[in-house]
Amino acid sequence: AQSVTQLGSHVSVSEGALVLLRCNYSSSVPPYLFWYVQYPNQGLQLLLKYTSAATLVKGINGFEAEFKKSETSFHLTKPSAHMSDAAEYFCAVTGIGFQKLVFGTGTRLLVSP
Amino acid sequence: EAGVVQSPRYKIIEKKQPVAFWCNPISGHNTLYWYLQNLGQGPELLIRYENEEAVDDSQLPKDRFSAERLKGVDSTLKIQPAELGDSAVYLCASSLVEDEQFFGPGTRLTVL
């Protein structure tokens, strides 16, 4: 079975500050990991994905994440937050074959001026 | 390129009534997914289609939920009868390659 745990249902940062959203995974097989963003009343948009290539993954909108097997983590970071980054962020895991994405409960990012 | 289209965007019904949601995936995407997203939660897979075949429906409550994907293109998800606990957002996604799913905007269902 696979699962992800997102620490913190809400994260608040000031505009220009570092963004760090935490995700830890559990998987009995080599995992593939994803971060999605969801803006209000919209579907999910893929930010970035780890599929066993480079452990440091760069995504859209200046986000990146690092796969750390020893820590079973895949935290999402961005050096400088923008107001437009305010949204819900979901970490997800799947195994070989990509047959089933298992999502975390999400972290709402709040960005203040 | 048009994205995944879902309709309606919002639906309000009374309990015990039937309801149906429609999804048109991105052209050429042979894999289609229906997810349920409860408030404050991540999406949970209900059913996955490869072309017209339902290859994973293990999480679909078959006593009241049904789905079809005729001709392997668009799909319909139905609930009959709806219960109060079915209030949620129903998301459709499609994919061409295995590692990237594209999501529609969802249908927000409210059951009164």
Side-chain angles (χ1 to χ4, degrees):
Chain A
Q2 296 170 305
S3 66
V4 291
T5 301
Q6 293 186 241
L7 298 177
S9 59
H10 292 78
V11 170
S12 295
V13 299
S14 299
E15 193 172 21
L18 171 71
V19 175
L20 171 61
L21 305 182
R22 300 177 186 274
C23 173
N24 288 90
Y25 69 90
S26 174
S27 179
S28 56
V29 297
Y32 298 133
L33 294 154
F34 304 79
W35 276 100
Y36 282 85
V37 60
Q38 186 176 33
Y39 297 99
N41 298 316
Q42 295 186 27
L44 281 71
Q45 179 184 9
L46 181 66
L47 274 177
L48 50 79
K49 59 186 177 184
Y50 167 75
T51 56
S52 75
T55 56
L56 181 61
V57 181
K58 295 186 182 299
I60 61 172
N61 301 338
F63 285 93
E64 64 180 37
E66 186 172 7
F67 172 70
K68 292 186 177 180
K69 184 177 179 180
S70 61
E71 300 177 7
T72 61
S73 70
F74 191 58
H75 302 331
L76 182 70
T77 61
K78 183 175 181 179
S80 176
H82 294 163
M83 296 295 292
S84 60
D85 294 327
E88 188 91 19
Y89 291 80
F90 292 93
C91 182
V93 63
T94 188
I96 296 173
F98 303 96
Q99 293 180 350
K100 183 176 180 178
L101 269 178
V102 176
F103 287 86
T105 54
T107 297
R108 182 168 297 278
L109 177 65
L110 306 170
V111 183
S112 57
Chain B
E1 177 183 88
V4 176
V5 178
Q6 291 188 247
S7 69
R9 291 294 313 279
Y10 304 91
K11 188 73 175 180
I12 300 174
I13 61 171
E14 295 188 346
K15 62 181 181 182
K16 301 185 182 180
Q17 295 300 305
V19 65
F21 315 124
W22 177 79
C23 172
N24 192 2
I26 294 172
S27 178
H29 284 195
N30 59 329
T31 307
L32 183 146
Y33 312 77
W34 282 103
Y35 287 89
L36 165 68
Q37 186 176 20
N38 286 305
L39 185 65
Q41 300 294 316
E44 300 173 37
L45 181 68
L46 288 172
I47 188 168
R48 176 170 66 96
Y49 282 94
E50 294 290 345
N51 299 305
E52 67 274 12
E53 181 182 0
V55 296
D56 183 357
D57 63 355
S58 58
Q59 301 302 309
L60 189 72
K62 298 181 183 64
D63 57 336
R64 297 185 300 109
F65 286 65
S66 64
E68 60 182 12
R69 191 185 184 196
L70 300 177
K71 300 181 181 180
V73 181
D74 55 350
S75 176
T76 302
L77 178 68
K78 298 179 181 179
I79 308 175
Q80 183 171 12
E83 298 179 351
L84 294 177
D86 296 331
S87 295
V89 176
Y90 293 82
L91 293 166
C92 179
S94 69
S95 67
L96 177 61
V97 293
E98 291 177 318
D99 63 348
E100 186 160 357
Q101 297 182 26
F102 294 83
F103 285 79
T107 296
R108 182 176 297 276
L109 174 67
T110 301
V111 182
L112 304 176

